[in-house]
């Protein structure tokens, strides 16, 4: 298995769900699961922190059943 590359652009399928109240797509959920080990790294990035901590991000993660780690 290839090593995971932490790339926040991989989460672009989730942007419409995070920025609106649209339900996340299947591709969003699969990308969230794939990028989950990177969440703490993203949260430390000042440009991404607002997205990671938004209530819509939590709703998307809950919808996709991807737990948000405590960083």
């Amino acid at each position: 298995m290839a090593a995971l590359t932490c790339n926040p652009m991989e989460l672009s399928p989730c942007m419409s769900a995070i920025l609106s109240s649209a339900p996340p797509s299947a591709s969003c959920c699969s990308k969230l699961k794939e990028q989950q080990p990177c969440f703490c790294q993203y949260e430390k990035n000042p440009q991404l922190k607002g997205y990671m901590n938004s209530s819509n991000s939590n709703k998307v993660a809950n919808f996709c059943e991807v737990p948000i780690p405590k960083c």
Side-chain angles (χ1 to χ4, degrees):
M1 186 171 140
L4 174 67
T5 300
C6 289
N7 178 357
M9 295 309 296
E10 290 289 319
L11 297 175
S12 60
C14 298
M15 289 314 290
S16 62
I18 291 171
L19 298 175
S20 72
S21 57
S25 63
S27 69
C28 167
C29 289
S30 70
K31 288 295 183 183
L32 273 182
K33 288 180 174 97
E34 183 184 290
Q35 292 286 305
Q36 184 185 13
C38 304
F39 287 176
C40 288
Q41 179 182 326
Y42 296 160
E43 200 169 288
K44 290 176 187 162
N45 180 327
Q47 294 175 321
L48 301 174
K49 187 176 180 119
Y51 293 111
M52 295 303 294
N53 294 326
S54 75
S55 60
N56 274 358
S57 292
N58 288 326
K59 285 181 197 165
V60 170
N62 286 337
F63 182 92
C64 295
E65 299 178 351
V66 176
I68 302 286
K70 298 285 181 223
C71 303

